Structure formats: C-alpha cells, structure tokens
C-alpha cells in the first residue's frame, strides 16, 4: 500500500494494528475455520483491524504453519458477498485491481463501469503495479486483453491511461494552459464533428494541477464547464470515461463518494461496486470520501451502508468505513475547506447564468399574432403551433405579440388562450405569457388563497428572488390585487415565519425594524431564530458564503444542518431554502424539479412554476446540476413523467437533451 507523501496526513480508515503478531493471527483464523461451521465474527473482526501489509504477513505465516493457502480456505468457508469482500481485503491492492479487471473482461459482455472506475482513478504508480500484478497473476498482457475486449475512442483512452505516464510536475505553464483550453475548444465546440484525439491527449497526459487550471480557464473562456462540452461532443462509454477522468482530476474522493451513493440509492444495491470501492480506498482516502459523502448527500456513509446491507457483510463494510460521523452535519476539522470549495465550485459569481429560452431571431410579432389567431379559430385548436411560437419567444417578445394581437383582432390573447386550452398545458402557456413579476405575484396569491396555505410555494419564490425581482413582484401584486404583498402575507401567515417572509418580501428595506420589534418579546429559541433572520435575510450572497465557510471552521458544523437540528416547521424550511439558494441556486431548483417528478404522481404546479420562472434566467445551469446529481437529464425526467402537449411544451422550454 502506497504511503502518504511526506508531510501529508493519513486519511485512510484502516491502520496498522499495534502489537501485531502474524503467527498468532494465523492461528486465530485457522481455529475460526476449523471443524463444523466457521466463526465469521472472529474472521471479520481480525481482518478489518489489520492493514493490507499485515494481512500479507498473516497469509505467509498461515502457509508456514499449516501448509495451506489462507485465501483458498476463506473461499471454502465463506459464501456470497461476505466472501467476496473478505477475499478482496486479503489480496494486495494491485492484485485486487487485477482481479476486478479480469472479471470485468471475462466471459460474455464487458463491465465497462469497472474498467472506467479503476483506470480513471489510479495514480501512475498504482497503474504500473496493476499491470505487473496482472502479468504475474494471469500470465497475460493487460493492454492486449483490454484492446481485444473494447473498441473505438473508448479503447484508445483506456490504453493511454494504462501507460501510467500522466505528468506529475506541479509547476504549471500559463501559456500551455491557455493553449490546451484553445485546443479543447477548437476540438469540440468550434468544430463540425469532434476531434477526439485532442481530448484523449490532453486529458490522458497532463498533470492534475495543470488540468484543474485548464478546467477553470475553459469555464471562463466558453461560459460552460468542461463536463458540459464532453456531454455535448462525446457519447457512450467514451463520454462516461472522460467524465470520470475529469471528476477524478477535480477530486478523486468526491468521485468515489458519488459512486458509493449511486451503488446504494434506489432499489437494489450494486454490491460489486460497493465492495471494490470500500476495499480499495480503506487505506487511502476513506475519511475524505466520508466527509464529502455527508456534505453532498446530507447523510453519513455509515448510516447508508447500515440501512442498505445486512449480516456479516454489513458489519465488515462498517468496519472499513471506520465509524459513523456523529451528528448529521458535523465535520472533521480538515473538511471545512473541502465543504466551502464544493459550494464555491458553482457560485454564481464564477459561472455565467444562462436560460434556455432566448429571443427569437427575425422576430415578427405580426406574423406570430396571425398564426396564433389561426391556431385558435374555428373547430378544434392547433396546440402544436401555439407551443411552437410561445415556447420559442422571449417574454419581452410575447408581450409584443399580445399587443399586436389586440391591435389586429381587438381580442385579448390571454383570454383566447384560456378559452382554447385546458389543464396543465393551459397553466404552462398562460404562465409563459405573463410578465415574470406578474407571474410570481399570481403564484404567491394562489399560494395564499382558499383554505390552507402553500408554504412551499411562498418559500420557493421569496427565498430565491433578487432584490430587483422582489421589488417588481411587490409592484405587480399591488397593481393586480389592489393590496400590498406585505399585508397579504401578514393576514395569511404567523409568528417568525411571517416575519421572515415579510423581511424577504420587502427586499430587506424594513428588516432591521421588524427584527428589533420581534426581539423585544422573544425567548431563547425565538432569539436564535431572530438572529438567524437578521443575517440570512439581509446579507449579500458573497457575504453569506464567507459566513458559511467561517461557521464550519469555527464549529465543524454546516449551517444548514444546524438549522435543521435547532429549528422546526416552516421557519426551518425557509432558512434551509435561503442557505441552499446561497450555496448554489441552480442546484436548489434542480432538487425541487427532481422531487416534483420522483415517485408516484407528479407535482405539476411546482414543475410548471420552476420551468416558467427560470426559463430565461438559469434553466441551462439547472439542467447541468440536474444531470450531475441525478445521473439523468432533466429532458429524460420530463419525458418519463409527463405526456401529450404538456410534455411537448415542457421539452421546448427545457431546450434540449444533455
């Protein structure tokens, strides 16, 4: 097992066992397997508390003492996933990787995901050891076997990675960074077709430090992350391999945290993946993986393994995990910077926000008005034409069409659309036709109408809009409903939740006065909520990001988890929404969209509201966050969850498949 570099802190979960006695351990294992049945508890306890180096010594002593092969005996005594896990731990790391690759390319079909995971994530030294171990174990050439089992650009990139020749110099040339950015841009975005060789050469050979700077510059130059270009230009297993390489360049620990989460989420567990990662990372970076896992998925790796596995298999995995991470949201001190960097990766200051709906070129409001009138005249309605026009015009252009429609036909376009369309499609099209501030005002009004209040809609809108947007909503609300938004919120909500919403709805203009009054009569918990309100409702996003970073450094807790722990109900929900919006607003909306479509039934109101309101602001960014987190595109999710003309209109707004 490779030792950590000089001066770096050990981040594995398994360490050398103190007072190690290989002969005694060999005897313990022999006794655990002697006679009828085996003492699985004794086996797992011993093997998971020894380092890999120590396990190799136990193997040698076992052979010397009993003339038997320890791995063969373990295979005979144990079964299923538990056997695979224990035997994986007993092999030297390079031989464990060699066995995984041999299994991936043996028999019918190839396990491309296994090849990608191993070859995209290993260091030069680990690759060289893997190639030698494969030759030793199977008397075959690894490159020849992979070449014979794969094809195309996927094969070419695997062969490049198998050379283990990635540059390791941390001194980076700024000129070469700029050249590589230009070469990647010209090989993909600017080229008819794609020059895959450039992607292979640069991503397969440059140092990690160099490539991180290339990715930063690529984003600044093109306005999109390198991952988006890879998804747009490459396909199939080659695309998946290149995305894995990029993820490992950015953070190998984050790559494995994501792989572990996907191995256990949903129905069924991908046990081979789970075993392979837990074995291979237990003495390298398991503590980092645990930290990132909790930061990204708001649950500990330990708790997810505990809920997703059983028996001795579960006990062994939990030992490799190295312990639970205590209360949700608590960090090891070293993780504070990692958490902040993760939030900063997608900070709006660094990523250009882009909508999916843009002004139509050669716009002709006269022709559009006539086409819409024709689509609604006579028997039946031409929904396709209505969708095609309205979903492909900007909101400003739609307002021009409304005016032109009125001038030509003396009719209200909105009234005609309302009369001709129905259901979800009507709500979507009419939403697109309204000016954004009036649309938000209407959604807030509907959330407060009738019996009960839709607190989630109030929170979603008021916690995410800018000061300028909030001001416009206030004016629109007053104009449309002859009542101030503040008065409406006052009559429909209560307590701290009311105060927070009013603070947000007034664009923070009167927040200090409200808070001062609120604080005079509050008890301890009230006072805590007031202090949070004072900060979260009045400070700028860049300021709050810095506050969140310092909060983690000082307390080892994420502010979001602190809110969840200390508060409840609507107050908790609105504060969490503000924090998530500050960290990464497109991701906040991606999560809301995912939840509106997952499981039985669809929350069409939320789906419509977000698609309409974000279509010209950041829906392209939301799409990127959606596919990154959920491993499926927003386009696919909509396609699988809606139907008919509503589906067609949503896909038009979505703006394309990722």
């Amino acid at each position: 097992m490779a030792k950590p570099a000089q001066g770096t802190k050990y981040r594995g979960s398994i360490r050398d066992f103190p007072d190690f006695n290989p002969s005694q351990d060999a005897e313990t294992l022999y006794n655990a397997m002697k006679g009828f049945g085996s003492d699985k508890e004794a086996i797992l306890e011993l093997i998971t508390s020894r380092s890999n180096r120590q396990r190799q010594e136990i193997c040698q002593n076992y052979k010397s003492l009993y003339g038997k092969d320890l791995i063969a005996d373990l295979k005979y005594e144990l079964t299923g996933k538990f056997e695979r896990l224990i035997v994986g731990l007993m092999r030297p790391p390079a031989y464990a990787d060699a066995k995984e690759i041999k299994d991936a390319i043996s028999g019918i079909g190839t396990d491309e995901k296994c090849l990608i995971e191993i070859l995209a994530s290993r260091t030069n030294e680990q690759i060289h050891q893997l190639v030698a171990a494969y030759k030793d174990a199977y008397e075959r050439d690894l490159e020849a076997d992979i070449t014979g089992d794969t094809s195309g650009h996927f094969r070419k990139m695997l062969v490049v990675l198998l050379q283990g020749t990635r540059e390791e110099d941390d001194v980076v040339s700024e000129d070469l960074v700029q050249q590589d950015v230009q070469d990647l841009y010209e090989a993909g975005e600017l080229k008819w077709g794609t020059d895959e060789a450039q992607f292979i050469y640069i991503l397969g050979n440059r140092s990690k430090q160099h490539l991180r700077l290339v990715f930063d510059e690529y984003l600044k130059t093109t306005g999109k992350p390198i991952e988006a270009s890879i998804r747009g230009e490459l396909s199939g297993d080659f695309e998946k391999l290149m995305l894995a390489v990029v993820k490992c360049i950015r953070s190998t620990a984050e790559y494995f945290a994501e792989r572990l989460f996907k191995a256990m989420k949903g129905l069924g567990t991908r046990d081979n993946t789970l075993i392979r990662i837990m074995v291979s990372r237990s003495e390298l970076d398991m503590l980092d993986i645990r930290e990132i896992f909790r930061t990204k998925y708001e649950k500990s790796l330990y708790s997810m393994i505990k809920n997703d596995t059983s028996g001795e298999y579960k006990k062994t995995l939990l030992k490799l995990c190295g312990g639970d991470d205590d209360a949700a949201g608590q960090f090891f001190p070293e993780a504070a910077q990692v958490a902040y960097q993760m939030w900063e990766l997608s900070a709006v200051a660094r990523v250009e926000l882009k909508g999916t709906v843009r002004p139509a070129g050669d716009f002709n409001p006269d022709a559009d008005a006539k086409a819409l009138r024709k689509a609604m005249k006579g028997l039946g309605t031409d929904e396709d034409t209505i969708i095609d026009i309205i979903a492909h015009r900007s909101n400003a252009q739609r307002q021009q069409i409304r005016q032109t429609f009125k001038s030509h036909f003396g009719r209200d376009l909105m009234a005609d659309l309302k009369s001709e369309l129905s259901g979800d499609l009507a709500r979507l099209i009419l939403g697109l036709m309204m000016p954004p501030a009036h649309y938000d005002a209407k959604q807030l009004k509907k959330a407060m109408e009738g019996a009960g209040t839709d607190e989630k809609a109030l929170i979603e809108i008021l916690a995410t809009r800018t000061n300028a947007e909030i001001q416009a909503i206030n004016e629109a609300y007053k104009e449309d409903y002859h009542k101030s938004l503040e008065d409406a919120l006052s009559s429909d909500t209560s307590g701290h939740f009311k105060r927070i919403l009013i603070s947000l709805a007034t664009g923070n203009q009167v927040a200090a006065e409200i808070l001062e009054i609120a604080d005079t009569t509050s008890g301890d918990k009230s006072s805590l909520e007031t202090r949070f309100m004072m900060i979260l409702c009045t400070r700028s996003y860049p300021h709050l990001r810095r506050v969140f970073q310092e909060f983690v450094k000082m307390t080892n807790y994420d502010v979001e988890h602190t809110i969840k722990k200390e508060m409840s109900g609507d107050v908790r929900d609105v504060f969490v929404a503000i924090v998530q919006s500050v960290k990464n607003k497109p991701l906040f909306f991606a999560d809301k969209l995912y939840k509106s479509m997952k499981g039985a039934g669809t929350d069409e109101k939320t789906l419509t509201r977000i698609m309409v309101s974000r279509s010209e602001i950041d829906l392209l960014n939301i799409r990127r966050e959606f596919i990154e987190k959920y491993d499926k595109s927003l386009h696919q999710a909509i396609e699988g969850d809606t139907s008919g003309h509503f589906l067609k209109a949503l896909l038009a707004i979505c703006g394309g498949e990722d």
Side-chain angles (χ1 to χ4, degrees):
M1 182 61 65
K3 290 181 181 175
Q6 195 77 28
T8 61
K9 197 166 182 180
Y10 182 71
R11 300 296 288 160
S13 54
I14 301 294
R15 298 171 178 272
D16 281 339
F17 187 72
D19 304 320
F20 173 56
N21 186 328
S23 299
Q24 191 176 310
D25 285 350
E27 186 181 346
T28 302
L29 289 171
Y30 180 76
N31 289 333
M33 293 186 283
K34 196 168 69 174
F36 188 69
S38 53
D39 185 349
K40 298 179 180 67
E41 192 84 31
I43 293 169
L44 78 86
E45 281 290 340
L46 191 146
I47 289 174
T48 56
S49 57
R50 306 297 186 268
S51 67
N52 192 277
R53 179 187 62 78
Q54 291 175 331
R55 291 179 209 129
Q56 303 318 310
E57 287 190 57
I58 296 169
C59 280
Q60 290 163 7
N61 276 266
Y62 193 90
K63 188 89 167 179
S64 302
L65 286 169
Y66 307 108
K68 292 158 75 77
D69 182 67
L70 176 54
I71 288 182
D73 279 5
L74 287 166
K75 276 184 170 180
Y76 180 78
E77 290 291 332
L78 310 176
T79 57
K81 296 173 285 193
F82 179 52
E83 178 238 309
R84 187 178 174 90
L85 178 54
I86 291 294
V87 169
L89 287 166
M90 292 307 301
R91 291 191 177 102
Y95 285 81
D97 279 351
K99 176 71 167 66
E100 291 291 329
I101 286 186
K102 186 76 169 69
D103 289 348
I105 56 179
S106 293
I108 299 168
T110 305
D111 182 355
E112 289 86 0
K113 287 183 178 176
C114 172
L115 295 181
I116 290 169
E117 181 198 295
I118 292 174
L119 296 180
S121 65
R122 301 313 192 243
T123 63
N124 287 345
E125 184 185 353
Q126 289 167 335
I127 291 285
H128 297 151
Q129 290 169 353
L130 161 62
V131 171
Y134 192 90
K135 185 82 171 172
D136 181 50
Y138 306 111
E139 297 180 348
R140 297 178 64 86
D141 180 67
L142 178 53
E143 185 179 325
D145 280 2
I146 283 181
T147 302
D149 211 64
T150 56
S151 61
H153 297 296
F154 179 57
R155 174 172 64 193
K156 287 176 190 171
M157 185 61 177
L158 289 176
V159 169
V160 168
L161 294 172
L162 267 175
Q163 306 315 302
T165 53
R166 185 176 297 286
E167 296 161 359
E168 294 180 325
D169 189 0
D170 279 345
V171 179
V172 177
S173 157
E174 286 185 24
D175 290 343
L176 187 56
V177 167
Q178 293 298 337
Q179 185 60 54
D180 281 351
V181 169
Q182 195 58 34
D183 288 346
L184 287 171
Y185 191 40
E186 289 174 1
E189 299 286 337
L190 294 183
K191 189 178 175 68
W192 180 259
T194 307
D195 181 359
E196 289 87 355
Q198 280 286 20
F199 279 85
I200 290 170
Y201 177 74
I202 293 170
L203 293 179
N205 291 287
R206 299 289 194 235
S207 74
K208 285 192 168 191
Q209 185 63 26
H210 173 91
L211 284 172
R212 285 182 194 119
L213 292 175
V214 168
F215 299 159
D216 288 345
E217 286 303 313
Y218 189 90
L219 179 60
K220 289 177 190 170
T221 303
T222 67
K224 61 164 69 173
I226 188 72
E227 291 91 338
S229 289
I230 288 171
R231 287 193 186 99
E233 299 298 326
L234 312 180
S235 62
D237 292 323
F238 180 47
E239 174 198 342
K240 289 172 189 160
L241 174 59
M242 298 307 256
L243 286 171
V245 168
V246 169
K247 283 176 182 174
C248 288
I249 296 295
R250 290 196 188 279
S251 167
T252 308
E254 186 171 354
Y255 170 71
F256 282 115
E258 187 180 306
R259 292 278 294 156
L260 284 168
F261 180 75
K262 287 175 181 173
M264 291 182 280
K265 77 168 184 174
L267 288 172
T269 304
R270 297 179 183 88
D271 293 292
N272 286 355
T273 301
L274 181 55
I275 291 167
R276 187 170 56 243
I277 297 173
M278 295 303 290
V279 168
S280 66
R281 310 315 291 185
S282 60
E283 293 182 47
L284 293 175
D285 52 4
M286 186 57 70
L287 298 187
D288 293 324
I289 291 168
R290 272 168 46 181
E291 283 308 321
I292 290 171
F293 192 97
R294 191 181 46 213
T295 305
K296 279 190 79 148
Y297 304 113
E298 299 180 12
K299 63 178 77 175
S300 69
L301 175 59
Y302 188 97
S303 67
M304 196 158 185
I305 291 170
K306 196 173 178 180
N307 293 331
D308 213 63
T309 58
S310 61
E312 283 85 12
Y313 176 53
K314 172 171 81 173
K315 288 177 186 172
T316 311
L317 288 171
L318 293 178
K319 289 277 188 183
L320 295 179
C321 185
D324 200 353
D325 297 321
D326 202 5
Q330 187 177 4
F331 291 87
F332 294 120
E334 297 90 338
Q337 195 61 34
V338 173
Y340 183 62
Q341 284 166 356
M342 283 174 62
W343 303 332
E344 280 297 285
L345 277 176
S346 46
V348 288
R350 294 181 53 194
V351 179
E352 184 187 353
L353 296 179
K354 284 187 178 177
T356 51
V357 175
R358 298 178 181 86
D362 303 322
F363 172 56
N364 185 334
D366 191 59
D368 284 348
K370 287 175 181 171
L372 287 170
R373 176 69 180 139
K374 186 180 175 185
M376 294 185 285
K377 203 172 168 184
L379 200 63
T381 306
D382 181 358
E383 287 94 346
D384 288 337
T385 296
I386 294 171
I387 292 167
D388 195 49
I389 292 173
I390 291 174
H392 294 100
R393 306 292 183 270
S394 68
N395 195 276
Q397 290 175 333
R398 291 181 207 125
Q399 303 317 311
Q400 284 184 254
I401 295 169
R402 280 180 74 175
Q403 290 168 356
T404 307
F405 194 89
K406 187 91 169 178
S407 302
H408 271 310
F409 308 112
R411 301 171 68 88
D412 179 22
L413 176 55
M414 292 285 280
D416 280 7
L417 287 167
K418 200 170 185 178
S419 154
E420 293 292 326
L421 305 175
S422 63
D424 295 323
L425 178 65
R427 277 189 285 274
L428 181 62
I429 294 296
L430 290 168
L432 288 167
M433 289 304 303
M434 294 179 76
H438 289 265
Y439 179 71
D440 276 349
K442 184 174 184 183
Q443 296 307 303
L444 290 168
K445 180 80 163 62
K446 286 172 83 72
M448 293 183 279
E449 269 175 355
T453 304
D454 183 352
E455 290 87 0
K456 287 183 180 177
L458 296 179
I459 290 168
E460 177 204 302
I461 295 169
L462 295 174
T464 60
R465 301 311 192 247
T466 64
N467 282 349
E469 288 166 340
I470 289 287
Q471 195 173 341
I473 292 168
N474 272 288
E475 289 165 8
Y477 199 95
K478 185 84 172 173
E479 183 185 331
D480 294 344
Y481 307 112
H482 311 293
K483 182 179 185 178
S484 77
L485 176 56
E486 186 180 339
D487 287 346
L489 289 166
S490 288
S491 356
D492 207 65
T493 57
S494 61
H496 264 82
F497 183 55
K498 175 175 83 175
R499 294 187 191 107
I500 296 162
L501 292 181
I502 289 172
S503 177
L504 293 169
T506 50
N508 308 323
Q509 297 157 14
V510 296
E513 290 88 335
I514 293 168
L515 295 168
E516 200 175 323
I517 295 161
D519 213 19
T520 56
T521 56
S522 57
D524 282 349
K525 189 167 182 184
S526 254
S527 181
L528 176 69
E529 290 171 347
T530 300
R531 290 198 301 276
F532 267 79
M533 185 159 68
M534 183 69 163
I535 296 164
L536 293 179
C537 297
T538 62
R539 307 293 194 255
S540 71
Y541 274 28
H543 175 91
L544 285 173
R545 284 191 197 101
R546 179 65 63 189
V547 169
F548 297 164
Q549 179 192 23
E550 295 303 322
F551 188 89
V552 175
K553 284 180 182 173
M554 287 172 64
T555 67
N556 293 339
Y557 276 83
D558 177 4
V559 69
E560 185 177 329
H561 290 282
T562 299
I563 290 166
K564 287 175 180 174
K565 183 183 172 189
E566 298 293 333
M567 298 172 195
S568 60
D570 297 327
V571 170
R572 175 198 60 208
D573 293 345
V574 70
F575 281 154
V576 166
I578 294 168
V579 170
Q580 289 177 345
S581 185
V582 168
K583 285 181 182 178
N584 184 341
K585 196 180 286 187
L587 179 58
F588 170 79
F589 283 115
D591 285 340
K592 295 278 286 179
L593 284 170
Y594 178 76
K595 285 169 186 168
S596 76
M597 292 182 279
K598 79 166 187 175
T602 305
D603 178 358
E604 288 89 358
K605 286 182 182 176
T606 299
L607 177 57
T608 299
R609 186 171 60 242
I610 295 173
M611 295 296 287
V612 168
S613 64
R614 310 315 293 182
S615 59
E616 292 183 55
I617 299 172
D618 55 2
L619 190 53
L620 191 60
N621 306 79
I622 293 167
R623 268 171 43 185
R624 289 171 186 162
E625 295 290 351
F626 194 99
I627 195 169
E628 189 67 32
K629 181 161 182 182
Y630 298 110
D631 215 22
K632 66 155 78 167
S633 67
L634 178 57
H635 188 282
Q636 287 171 323
I638 291 168
E639 216 167 26
D641 214 64
T642 59
S643 60
H645 287 103
F646 182 51
L647 162 66
K648 185 172 182 180
L650 286 171
L651 291 183
I653 300 167
C654 184
E657 168 69 291
D658 294 306

